[in-house]
Amino acid sequence: MLNVQAMPTTAPWQPTAGQLIRQIGSDERWSTLKELQSLLRYDGHLQAGSEAELFQRRRLKAGQSALVMGQPFDGLYVVRLGTLKTLITNVDGGVHVLGFPMKGSLIGFDGIYQNTYTSDVVALTDCDLIRIPATNLFASENNNHLEHMAYWASSHEIIQEQEAYSLTRSVKSEARVARFLLTMSHRFEDMGWSPNRFILPMTRRDIGHHLSVTVETVSRAFSALVQQGIIEVDFREISILERDALCHFEH
Amino acid sequence: MLNVQAMPTTAPWQPTAGQLIRQIGSDERWSTLKELQSLLRYDGHLQAGSEAELFQRRRLKAGQSALVMGQPFDGLYVVRLGTLKTLITNVDGGVHVLGFPMKGSLIGFDGIYQNTYTSDVVALTDCDLIRIPATNLFASENNNHLEHMAYWASSHEIIQEQEAYSLTRSVKSEARVARFLLTMSHRFEDMGWSPNRFILPMTRRDIGHHLSVTVETVSRAFSALVQQGIIEVDFREISILERDALCHFEH
DNA sequence: CGCGCGTTTGAACGGGCTCAAACCTTGTGG
DNA sequence: CCACAAGGTTTGAGCCCGTTCAAACGCGCG
């Protein structure tokens, strides 16, 4: 399929080309509107038939593209399982990671304007997405609570971007990494996992591209936090020992 | 006048509380749905009655707050005239300017999630806003094309934020300032004014807070561009002499 | 006028980038 | 199963750019 990846200079993962077809497993299932509401934590009232309305799921293996910049908009996706990264690529090849969608995140919203996705979304782990087709979104004859929900959720996404925005310059890299870890910790806790011991699904490079620092700086910040006894690091596995100290950094 | 600037540590702007009432001038007029569509550049088809539907306008003098963080969501606003700044303030008083809404921009979208605005929006010049009340937005009994439009426009805003996002670290400050000037130039051109000669409505400090650099760095970047003969600067007035050279910087 | 604020420029410091090397993990093919 | 390759991670050394501190000037407004 037309999965033309944005490639820096060399080809990252070639296999993605043909796999978007194969990703449709035989054990494909469907999700209800009710599950969507639960994932998005939409507190609006349920309506009759919310169990009957079905949405297709989409499986992705780590490294596959969920959305490709430039492709025509064909709907929104809600993450049911796994972690992805949203990134934009400059003309000169420089990349910036906008965020790391996880369970309950809404992706593809940027494609509504001008019917084209404006960022790439790549799976970092095996993922399970729920597709909200554009047709369902805008063919609001009887029920427009679906659009309501997407509308509401996208507002949430904007806020998250704003928060991530404060992770820019002028704040020492160590503080930014500390804040990033707290954000991840909070998100893992939201998903029902341990907030003090988790495995980062992304590379140091991804983190760096998200925080706008280099790989080395991220690594050095981790080492510094370890040396202060605030966290423990074993490659991707992070243990938070002194949460208060970590919080104290983001000031 | 009530031009109380955002100040750290001490009380922010007390007056705003009572002023939201007084801002309603006597010469208040109304806007049609058709004007809204034109401002937002929404290319959807017009519907019957789009001339009849009326939306209240809201006048602001320079320095007044359009939206205050924490206040309950009561609708969206579309900028009809003037320039504002959207900013968030950290707990330690550090501010970050998310953007500069101008004619056609949609503001207040972040308030939909949890019914509370999450950022401050302050008028830099005298402004004229069009209010889209929450009641109109969500009471979509017969017409939901209003919500469609807001939905669509908010997607546009997200994209703009993404673009601004690439103005982070690792890009030399001079290049970021150059890019900022090009963005402003483009926006002025969109509004029908000269793209090569315009007056910046914001201070160097605001620009710095937007690009995450200090006032001095912005000033030095301007000076450097002047010295290279690329632009001319007379306080707030900017003249672009060598657009190509300016474009060449953002690489 | 004089105060506050915006703007500009200079000098010195420091933090993050660049370049480089070493180690480890992971996946692939023989 | 092992060897090898590719890429992720860590650490070090030196340099550059943006910050910080400081001072001067212009402008608007009370």
Side-chain angles (χ1 to χ4, degrees):
Chain A
M1 197 176 312
L2 25 116
N3 186 351
V4 193
Q5 199 61 22
M7 41 187 67
T9 48
T10 62
W13 349 265
Q14 273 143 333
T16 44
Q19 280 169 4
L20 279 179
I21 303 172
R22 248 166 285 143
Q23 104 232 348
I24 309 175
S26 55
D27 55 342
E28 191 168 14
R29 302 223 192 101
W30 300 77
S31 288
T32 63
L33 178 60
K34 194 168 186 175
E35 185 184 0
L36 265 185
Q37 287 179 308
S38 168
L39 278 172
L40 293 172
R41 296 167 188 244
Y42 180 68
D43 52 358
H45 61 287
L46 292 173
Q47 207 161 340
S50 61
E51 311 254 6
E53 210 163 342
L54 294 182
F55 296 91
Q56 198 175 14
R57 286 193 201 158
R58 182 173 160 196
R59 293 268 168 85
L60 277 84
K61 292 219 172 283
Q64 286 184 317
S65 291
L67 300 175
V68 176
M69 184 169 72
Q71 280 198 342
F73 175 78
D74 72 334
L76 303 175
Y77 291 87
V78 175
V79 181
R80 208 178 86 97
L81 194 81
T83 305
L84 306 92
K85 64 174 174 182
T86 306
L87 54 92
I88 52 179
T89 307
N90 296 352
V91 283
D92 58 339
V95 301
H96 190 219
V97 175
L98 300 173
F100 299 101
M102 298 171 77
K103 179 181 172 187
S105 296
L106 182 75
I107 62 180
F109 179 71
D110 56 278
I112 292 175
Y113 179 73
Q114 301 201 335
N115 270 318
T116 299
Y117 297 111
T118 62
S119 56
D120 292 302
V121 183
V122 181
L124 296 176
T125 67
D126 290 2
C127 286
D128 200 1
L129 309 180
I130 304 175
R131 177 162 181 256
I132 306 178
T135 50
N136 288 35
L137 257 184
F138 301 125
S140 49
E141 309 240 329
N142 41 9
N143 64 334
N144 52 11
H145 51 287
L146 179 60
E147 186 171 9
H148 271 298
M149 206 163 66
Y151 192 40
W152 174 87
S154 58
S155 174
H156 182 39
E157 298 296 319
I158 277 204
I159 295 178
Q160 284 192 335
E161 286 213 11
Q162 285 181 5
E163 288 175 356
Y165 223 126
S166 72
L167 294 170
T168 39
R169 186 194 290 254
S170 83
V171 179
K172 266 197 309 189
S173 61
E174 203 170 322
R176 273 190 277 174
V177 170
R179 179 160 185 160
F180 170 76
L181 287 179
L182 283 173
T183 302
M184 292 305 297
S185 168
H186 183 63
R187 294 179 70 181
F188 278 114
E189 189 174 21
D190 265 3
M191 295 187 293
W193 302 340
S194 168
N196 294 321
R197 192 177 187 83
F198 48 85
I199 294 181
L200 293 175
M202 70 289 288
T203 68
R204 304 284 195 269
R205 186 175 305 275
D206 285 333
I207 299 175
H209 283 154
H210 182 51
L211 304 180
S212 295
V213 294
T214 58
V215 190
E216 298 94 326
T217 301
V218 175
S219 179
R220 269 186 260 268
F222 277 153
S223 299
L225 291 174
V226 169
Q227 202 130 19
Q228 298 171 58
I230 297 176
I231 63 172
E232 272 182 356
V233 175
D234 181 38
F235 284 88
R236 299 286 181 89
E237 183 174 353
I238 304 289
S239 302
I240 297 181
L241 305 178
E242 300 285 344
R243 172 167 294 266
D244 296 342
L246 214 53
C247 293
H248 187 267
F249 263 105
E250 57 171 349
H251 290 301
Chain B
M1 186 179 320
L2 22 114
N3 189 349
V4 195
Q5 205 60 20
M7 45 185 68
T9 59
T10 62
W13 347 264
Q14 273 143 333
T16 44
Q19 279 165 7
L20 284 177
I21 305 172
R22 246 168 287 142
Q23 101 239 341
I24 308 174
S26 56
D27 55 344
E28 192 167 14
R29 301 224 192 101
W30 299 79
S31 288
T32 63
L33 178 61
K34 193 168 186 175
E35 185 184 2
L36 265 185
Q37 286 179 308
S38 169
L39 278 172
L40 293 173
R41 295 165 190 248
Y42 179 69
D43 52 358
H45 60 288
L46 291 174
Q47 206 160 340
S50 61
E51 311 254 6
E53 209 163 342
L54 294 182
F55 296 92
Q56 199 176 14
R57 287 195 201 156
R58 182 173 159 195
R59 294 267 168 86
L60 277 84
K61 293 221 171 281
Q64 284 185 317
S65 291
L67 301 176
V68 176
M69 186 170 72
Q71 280 200 342
F73 176 78
D74 73 333
L76 303 174
Y77 291 87
V78 175
V79 181
R80 209 178 85 97
L81 194 81
T83 304
L84 307 92
K85 64 175 173 182
T86 305
L87 53 91
I88 52 179
T89 307
N90 297 352
V91 283
D92 58 338
V95 301
H96 189 218
V97 174
L98 299 174
F100 300 101
M102 299 171 77
K103 178 181 171 188
S105 296
L106 182 75
I107 61 180
F109 179 70
D110 56 279
I112 292 175
Y113 179 73
Q114 302 202 334
N115 271 318
T116 298
Y117 297 110
T118 62
S119 56
D120 292 303
V121 182
V122 181
L124 296 175
T125 67
D126 290 1
C127 287
D128 201 0
L129 309 180
I130 303 175
R131 175 161 182 257
I132 305 177
T135 51
N136 287 36
L137 258 184
F138 302 125
S140 49
E141 309 241 328
N142 41 9
N143 65 334
N144 53 10
H145 50 289
L146 179 60
E147 185 171 9
H148 270 301
M149 205 162 66
Y151 192 40
W152 175 86
S154 59
S155 175
H156 182 39
E157 298 295 321
I158 277 204
I159 295 178
Q160 284 191 335
E161 286 212 13
Q162 285 181 5
E163 288 174 355
Y165 223 126
S166 72
L167 294 170
T168 39
R169 187 192 289 253
S170 84
V171 179
K172 266 196 310 190
S173 61
E174 204 169 321
R176 274 191 278 175
V177 170
R179 178 159 186 162
F180 170 76
L181 287 178
L182 283 173
T183 302
M184 291 306 297
S185 168
H186 184 63
R187 295 180 69 181
F188 278 114
E189 188 174 22
D190 265 2
M191 294 186 293
W193 302 340
S194 168
N196 295 320
R197 193 177 187 82
F198 48 86
I199 294 181
L200 293 175
M202 70 290 288
T203 68
R204 304 284 195 269
R205 185 174 306 275
D206 285 334
I207 299 175
H209 283 154
H210 181 51
L211 304 181
S212 295
V213 294
T214 59
V215 189
E216 298 94 326
T217 301
V218 175
S219 179
R220 269 186 259 268
F222 277 152
S223 300
L225 292 174
V226 169
Q227 203 131 18
Q228 298 172 59
I230 297 177
I231 63 172
E232 273 181 356
V233 175
D234 181 38
F235 285 89
R236 298 285 182 91
E237 182 175 353
I238 304 289
S239 301
I240 297 181
L241 305 178
E242 300 287 344
R243 171 168 293 266
D244 295 342
L246 213 53
C247 293
H248 186 268
F249 263 105
E250 56 169 350
H251 290 303

